[in-house]
Amino acid sequence: MKLSVCVILNLDPSADTWDLSSPLISLWINRFYIYLGFAVSISLWICVQIVIKMQGFATVLAEAVTSLDLPVAIINLKEYDPDDHLIEEEEEPFESSSEEEFGGEDRQSLNSIVDVEDLGKIMDHVKKEKREKEQQEEKSGLFRNMGRNEDGERRAMITPALREALTKQGRGACYKHTFYGIESHHCMETTPSLACANKCVFCWRHHNNPVGTEWRWKMDQPEMILKEAIENHQNMIKQFKGVPGVKAERFEEGMMVKHCALSLVGEPIMYPEINRFLKNLEPVTQLYVSVDASTKDSLKKIDRPLFKDFWQRFLDSLKALAVKQQQTVYRPTLVKAWNMDELQAYVQLVSLGNPDFIGVKGVTYCGESSASSLTMAHVPWHEEVVQFVRELVDLIPDYEIACEHEHSNCLLIAHRKTVLGETSGRGVTEIQWEEWIKKRLISQARWLISVIPAH
């Protein structure tokens, strides 16, 4: 006899064991859908915020572009009509690199809409045009005195040495005062030519000045250059009026220029009227020649000259010093690892011109430049400059170390004939202004006697 067993499962939701109507259990069972809903909601919120931010970014970007004097407008891409060919219209003006092609008509096309994707091209062209304009302006007024340029450059002329000369605090004097007795408040630095025929790696102008092998720029008259140079020197001194520590008598002294250094920038003798200019500055007391290296290869590497016959021109310049009546100066600039291992070659150069002085100076690093590979690693320590000078003097018996200016990282070597016979208490290398003026007057008197016919 078989027994039939019937098993009844109680699936009543109201049962105590499986109470599926409980809110907590329902949430737990359906948690995946809840999480998904939260994720979708957050994603939508983020998208909305991005859209809002992008609209605000477009407004901010438009304001920034407007501040650059560029026409700009914000467009809604939903209303954008591809048939307008906006991109083609905007890209076309910038394909040309000449200023003539980018003229008034093309500028009018910019007054419509500037596509953000083309903004980089626009800015590149604007910067290039600005650079070309600045270079053109610099060339057109090239030979005004440096002080006439921008106010920032005029302020750059106010050195600690000048401040020391006006206050007489006894510190920070220029090397020219230590070497030659030239006080900074009497010294006018200028140049009749901003142009040069070299691209020296240590150029403190970072190669912003024009270069060339011949004169091809506007030329100012020498009288005007000198007049405005003196005015700029006096205006620079006037900036110290009322400054605490400035002595009244030295302030008045500074208004009188007693010395002019034509070594500010560029190559002065490139100026076509250099002889007329120098006649207004007589007496000429010292002639300098930059001796940036002692071999042809190293000079080419450091000065990067434009003349193909640069080495012969350099040697001829040194030979010319030997017959000059003025005091003559070699000015070597030491660049570590480039020109400090050529002592014997320097000795040969000294024998060519027999200069009265040799002012040896370590190179000054004026900051990074895309046109030069010079770094701080090329700047010799002062101890290294001193060691170089000592070794050089040992090889040229007619010379001796005269003085040192550690702050400027330079030393002065003097020929023995220059320092012999000096009276006690006087600087052995100082320029004797009265003697130079007397010598000049005697020279002029002899010239007059030679040209006036005898009766």
Side-chain angles (χ1 to χ4, degrees), residues 226-240:
L226 179 59
K227 177 178 176 293
E228 296 191 359
I230 294 175
E231 290 176 354
N232 287 318
H233 172 84
Q234 293 173 340
N235 290 335
M236 181 174 61
I237 297 295
K238 289 177 182 178
Q239 296 183 47
F240 282 91

Side-chain angles (χ1 to χ4, degrees), residues 197-198 213 289-290 293-318:
N198 296 318
T213 58
V289 172
S290 296
S294 59
T295 66
K296 183 176 180 179
D297 291 339
S298 57
L299 188 65
K300 183 177 181 179
K301 182 178 181 180
I302 294 175
D303 282 1
R304 299 185 294 189
L306 301 185
F307 282 107
K308 293 182 178 179
D309 59 341
F310 68 92
W311 182 246
Q312 188 58 49
R313 287 173 174 266
F314 173 62
L315 297 180
D316 290 343
S317 298
L318 299 183

